[in-house]
Amino acid sequence: MLVKTEGILVYKVKYSETSIIFHLLTKELGLRAFIAKGVRSKKSKTAAALFDYLNVLQIVASQGAHSDLLTIREVSLSKGNFSLNLDPVQNAIYLFVAEFIHKVISKPMVDASLYHFVEHSIQYFSQSNRIIADFHLWFITKFTTFLGITPVDNFTKTNSIFSIQHSHFVSSALPIEGAFSESSSQMLHYYMTVSVDQCGNNLEPLSARNQYLDEMLYYYRFHLDHFSGLQSHEILKSVFIPNLNSK
């Protein structure tokens, strides 16, 4: 059976001497695994750069009767592909977002609205003429909507601390366990209310952004049993230190 679809590459690993296995987030199939045979061979007509993280690929694949792994027959870049560039900060964000999507989605859930959100968000980020240093923070905040763990935005001057367990803001006058810091609570409220084009307009200090990242990832671990964390998390923070230490 032949399958035609478009997908965003969120994971890849070498397989044998010349092949790769990669995962695409697709609109029609959800998160699916594919194998591209021979693409790492010197004789391959398919460029390895085609399989960069968050590239959007048009593929034709075949599926065997006894395997969920689809074999690539044809592959090309979509018109709206998001190829990696040479900026280390942007590349670190690409890697983080790709790993986040791959780790946080536990099954091949089909959700066209999720696919469009990811595609639109990455397109804006990749085509922006400025480095949006807090894009990843906005992205993981908005992504909660698609997993059924959306925080309740009842933020006020009185209810100004976010409770991780209860997923809403509570009074700072009460003793709270398992809560965001005051600055992270304010940032959560901010990212829940702004659109992607507003990212970077009110950039918090680096230390505050890193703390918010840590606390948001803990929020995901608390509410999603399958989510254990990310390897690119610390890489992202280390890249930001020399590039954005003025913030």
Side-chain angles (χ1 to χ4, degrees), residues 169-189:
F169 294 89
V170 297
S171 173
S172 58
L174 299 175
I176 307 167
E177 293 185 4
F180 279 19
S181 66
E182 183 176 356
S183 64
S184 291
S185 296
Q186 293 174 353
M187 291 173 70
L188 174 61
H189 168 65

Side-chain angles (χ1 to χ4, degrees), residues 125-179:
F125 177 71
S126 67
Q127 295 179 353
S128 176
N129 57 8
R130 60 194 176 97
I131 296 177
I132 308 173
D134 61 345
F135 170 81
H136 60 300
L137 304 180
W138 173 88
F139 185 88
I140 65 174
T141 304
K142 296 292 189 180
F143 207 89
T144 58
T145 303
F146 303 100
L147 301 174
I149 58 171
T150 311
V152 177
D153 188 18
N154 62 319
F155 180 88
T156 65
K157 290 183 178 180
T158 303
N159 294 326
S160 59
I161 300 297
F162 182 70
S163 168
I164 294 173
Q165 179 180 358
H166 299 99
S167 299
H168 63 244
F169 294 89
V170 297
S171 173
S172 58
L174 299 175
I176 307 167
E177 293 185 4

Side-chain angles (χ1 to χ4, degrees), residues 34-247:
F34 299 81
I35 182 169
K37 297 180 179 179
V39 295
R40 296 174 52 238
S41 167
K42 293 181 180 179
K43 298 180 180 180
S44 174
K45 296 181 180 179
T46 303
L50 196 70
F51 301 96
D52 282 339
Y53 287 109
L54 300 184
N55 271 352
V56 180
L57 304 179
Q58 295 280 354
I59 64 101
V60 177
S62 60
Q63 182 172 9
H66 305 290
S67 175
D68 291 332
L69 188 66
L70 292 99
T71 301
I72 292 296
R73 301 303 179 192
E74 300 176 20
V75 58
S76 62
L77 283 171
S78 171
K79 292 180 180 179
N81 76 85
F82 317 124
S83 298
L84 298 180
N85 56 67
L86 298 178
D87 181 84
V89 175
Q90 278 193 298
N91 287 347
I93 292 177
Y94 274 115
L95 179 61
F96 173 86
V97 170
E99 186 189 8
F100 172 80
I101 294 170
H102 184 250
K103 289 286 186 69
V104 83
I105 298 177
S106 62
K107 55 185 178 181
M109 54 186 286
V110 178
D111 188 335
S113 61
L114 183 153
Y115 180 83
H116 288 306
F117 165 76
V118 174
E119 183 181 35
H120 171 75
S121 301
I122 299 301
Q123 183 175 28
Y124 180 87
F125 177 71
S126 67
Q127 295 179 353
S128 176
N129 57 8
R130 60 194 176 97
I131 296 177
I132 308 173
D134 61 345
F135 170 81
H136 60 300
L137 304 180
W138 173 88
F139 185 88
I140 65 174
T141 304
K142 296 292 189 180
F143 207 89
T144 58
T145 303
F146 303 100
L147 301 174
I149 58 171
T150 311
V152 177
D153 188 18
N154 62 319
F155 180 88
T156 65
K157 290 183 178 180
T158 303
N159 294 326
S160 59
I161 300 297
F162 182 70
S163 168
I164 294 173
Q165 179 180 358
H166 299 99
S167 299
H168 63 244
F169 294 89
V170 297
S171 173
S172 58
L174 299 175
I176 307 167
E177 293 185 4
F180 279 19
S181 66
E182 183 176 356
S183 64
S184 291
S185 296
Q186 293 174 353
M187 291 173 70
L188 174 61
H189 168 65
Y190 171 74
Y191 287 123
M192 289 181 68
T193 57
V194 300
S195 57
V196 64
D197 59 311
Q198 294 172 297
C199 288
N201 291 343
N202 295 289
L203 199 62
E204 295 291 333
L206 176 62
S207 59
R209 300 200 307 273
N210 283 342
Q211 183 178 20
Y212 180 74
L213 177 58
D214 287 336
E215 293 179 353
M216 275 302 299
L217 291 179
Y218 178 79
Y219 178 76
Y220 274 93
R221 291 197 302 273
F222 183 87
H223 288 282
L224 301 177
D225 292 337
H226 65 272
F227 182 66
S228 59
L230 306 175
Q231 294 181 347
S232 58
H233 175 201
E234 295 301 326
I235 297 175
L236 183 65
K237 292 195 293 185
S238 68
V239 170
F240 275 176
I241 291 174
N243 285 277
L244 299 173
N245 55 13
S246 61
K247 292 295 184 180

